[in-house]
Each structure stands twice: as C-alpha cells, then as structure tokens.
Amino acid sequence: MDTAVAADIPLTQTFHYHSTTHEYAVRWTALGDASGPPLIFVHGTPWSSRVWHVFARSLARYFHVYLFDNPGFGDSPLGIPLSGKEALISNEVALDGDLAQQSEVFAALYKTWSKDWPRVYDKAHVVAHDHGGLMSLRAHLIHSCAFASLCLINVVALGPFGQPLFKSVAENEEAFTSLTGPMFEGMVEAYIRNAAFTELSKETMDMLKRPWIINEEGRKGFIRQMAQANSRSTEAVEGRYSEVGQVMPVRIIWGTEDQWIPVETAERLRTKLNAREVVLIEGAGHLVMYDQEGRLGVELGWWLSKVSHDRE
C-alpha cells in the first residue's frame, strides 16, 4: 500500500502570528499522548509535512509528535503583508532568502507549543529536512529556542548554494510563471524526480506535485521558492554553528546519492556544528524518506531512543 495515501494526516489546528510586516496562518496538528516527550518534524522545499506522515504516525506511540506546514507550503497560505506595510517590503525580503521570516514563525510556534509541555519535557526533539535545517538552526541561535536534540537530514545549512535552474528561474521569473498545463507540470515533475534516487510511485509523485500545479497561486508559489533558493544565505548564523553541538546532541543523516546537496556537505556540517556523528544512507538521494524509508525509520528510532534515554 502506498504510504502517501495510507498515512494521510490532516492538519486540524491553525496558529496565527503577526510579524512586523506579515500575518500568518500556519496549519498544524499533534499526534500521540500529550504527556509524552515532544517531537517536531520540520519539512523543507518544495515539500510539506506530508513527507513525514509515515514516521510521525509510528513515533506517535512513544512521543507527542507535531507536524506543520511552513507558510506558503502544503495547507498553510503564504504570509499576508500587513495593511500599509506593502511599500516597505522589498523583493529581497519577500523572497525570504535567508529564511528569516519562516524561522521567526517556526520559533513563535515552538514557544507556543512549549507552554503545554509537561515540566519534565521542557524541550522538544527536532527532526529537520532540507531548508528545515536552516530554519531550526536560526530558531535556536537567533530566537533562543532550546531543543532536546537536533537531527538534520540532507539539510540546507552551508554554502555555496545555487543550481543553474534556480538562477535561470530567478532571472526569468515572469516567463516561468507563464508556463501552464503539461509544460509546467512536466517541469515540476522533473524537478521532484531529480530529488529522488529511486523511482517515486505515481501516488507519491502526484501528492508531491499537486500543491504546485493545482492553480495559478500554486504555480507562482513554485517559482517563488525556486527564486528564493537562488538567493539563499546563511551568513546570519553560520559563524555560530559551533555553539549548537555544545548545548544539545546533534546527528546528521545524509543520502549518499543526493543530487541537490553533495554528500561531502555532511562531514563539513558535522565539523561546523560539533555534531556527534554522520550517518550515510546508501541508495538514497535528497528524498531519503522515500528512497530508503525503512533505513531512515530505523536510524530515527535509534537516535530518538538514545537521546531520550540520555535525558533521564
């Protein structure tokens, strides 16, 4: 049975947040016993919380699991500029290249959730993929979110960044946005296919591409996140990465066949973060959760069991 269909989990809650420039409505949900240790999954781009459904459902037997869609992804709409602020929002800020906006929203959401955690579990374990890695690191280093542990899976965290396609889209945004029908769908499908080492099932591919091809808003959103990737920056936090491993256990997991972020990045990141270890998963690309679902499940289960036991 295809996991993308079998493990669908609706996001039933909405978190409302106002920054100095935008208002957000983030969709989220929680699974498992609320008295258990909190565990948060953070997705990247161009994905949504659906990439975590299989793991969230399984780990909810042992943790209080949180899922959410970042603004502009999945079920969460893009942040809306506050009235009268439109003129103050530059294109650079709108693109959120350093993920400052998304990180701020995540940090606010994290702190709201933490108010309901049992005193014995005052920090959450965080598992992050793709740009969810940079979001989590910013939430910790800039917004003072304290984590019980951090597991980073094929994450955006170290430069240099950029792919030829990102640059082309950023420089010809209007032309790419004007693509419709089979041409646009084909581009999205090819982009997603490149993230996986093994062939994705039709059900999984349909689920991953659906938000971006369903209407004009989706098409614009897909182009926007690619232009954003072209302007990626970690300058605000990369110089402080050495602090992270000093205050929490950090594990890095990487698919060896990642065509988006080379596997060599994993060891560089381990050194920068003072992480405990790097686990390389063979036969997996950027979408490790689909290429090697079983292996990733074992590694996550082992890691979360170990760091939970270490806290006792």
Side-chain angles (χ1 to χ4, degrees):
M1 183 178 295
D2 189 271
T3 54
V5 175
D8 189 53
I9 301 170
L11 303 181
T12 57
Q13 307 292 320
T14 302
F15 171 68
H16 295 280
Y17 177 72
H18 287 75
S19 71
T20 56
T21 58
H22 289 74
E23 58 178 307
Y24 299 91
V26 176
R27 299 291 292 171
W28 68 276
T29 195
L31 297 77
D33 189 342
S35 65
L39 167 62
I40 300 170
F41 284 97
V42 188
H43 73 82
T45 180
W47 326 113
S48 73
S49 60
R50 289 178 177 84
V51 301
W52 296 122
H53 282 184
V54 170
F55 309 97
R57 194 180 295 280
S58 296
L59 290 167
R61 292 188 60 188
Y62 313 101
F63 296 87
H64 191 209
V65 179
Y66 291 87
L67 295 171
F68 71 101
D69 284 348
N70 286 316
F73 295 81
D75 293 340
S76 296
L78 188 66
I80 301 173
L82 295 177
S83 177
K85 297 288 186 178
E86 290 88 346
L88 301 179
I89 302 172
S90 68
N91 186 55
E92 180 180 356
V93 173
L95 285 175
D96 197 19
D98 58 4
L99 301 179
Q101 295 176 49
Q102 293 190 56
S103 302
E104 179 181 345
V105 176
F106 169 53
L109 183 57
Y110 182 94
K111 292 175 182 179
T112 297
W113 285 337
S114 69
K115 296 174 183 178
D116 296 325
W117 296 340
R119 182 168 297 182
V120 66
Y121 300 125
D122 59 335
K123 303 173 186 176
H125 301 284
V126 174
V127 175
H129 175 245
D130 192 82
H131 82 213
L134 180 54
M135 281 177 55
S136 300
L137 290 166
R138 287 186 65 100
H140 170 66
L141 292 169
I142 295 179
H143 300 287
S144 303
C145 291
F147 304 148
S149 70
L150 181 59
C151 184
L152 302 172
I153 304 171
N154 290 70
V155 293
V156 170
L158 292 177
F161 302 104
Q163 297 183 18
L165 181 59
F166 294 161
K167 187 174 187 294
S168 180
V169 170
E171 294 177 350
N172 303 277
E173 189 170 341
E174 185 175 342
F176 278 94
T177 304
S178 68
L179 294 176
T180 58
M183 291 185 64
F184 184 80
E185 183 174 349
M187 182 182 72
V188 174
E189 187 165 325
Y191 181 68
I192 293 173
R193 188 181 296 114
N194 187 247
F197 181 65
T198 59
E199 185 175 356
L200 297 170
S201 70
K202 182 180 184 303
E203 291 81 4
T204 297
M205 176 61 78
D206 288 345
M207 180 273 291
L208 292 174
K209 71 181 181 180
R210 186 180 305 120
W212 308 115
I213 65 174
I214 194 169
N215 53 30
E216 182 180 0
E217 182 180 354
R219 292 196 301 275
K220 289 181 177 179
F222 184 79
I223 298 303
R224 181 186 62 251
Q225 59 87 20
M226 295 184 78
Q228 174 176 292
N230 188 62
S231 62
R232 184 74 70 231
S233 170
T234 62
E235 184 177 356
V237 290
E238 193 170 331
R240 297 181 57 192
Y241 280 176
S242 62
E243 302 172 25
V244 180
Q246 298 175 16
V247 296
M248 74 180 86
V250 179
R251 191 183 214 206
I252 298 169
I253 299 177
W254 219 274
T256 61
E257 307 300 326
D258 191 337
Q259 299 300 306
W260 288 11
I261 311 176
V263 65
E264 293 80 12
T265 306
E267 184 58 33
R268 289 174 53 219
L269 187 58
R270 185 199 67 77
T271 301
K272 286 268 191 177
L273 293 173
N274 289 318
R276 289 189 178 182
E277 62 181 336
V278 170
V279 175
L280 301 181
I281 299 184
E282 297 180 355
H286 194 69
L287 285 174
V288 187
M289 61 281 292
Y290 293 111
D291 285 330
Q292 293 291 340
E293 177 185 297
R295 175 76 188 278
L296 180 59
V298 170
E299 294 294 348
L300 285 178
W302 181 90
W303 168 251
L304 291 168
S305 175
K306 177 175 175 53
V307 291
S308 295
H309 178 74
D310 289 348
R311 292 196 73 202
E312 295 177 356

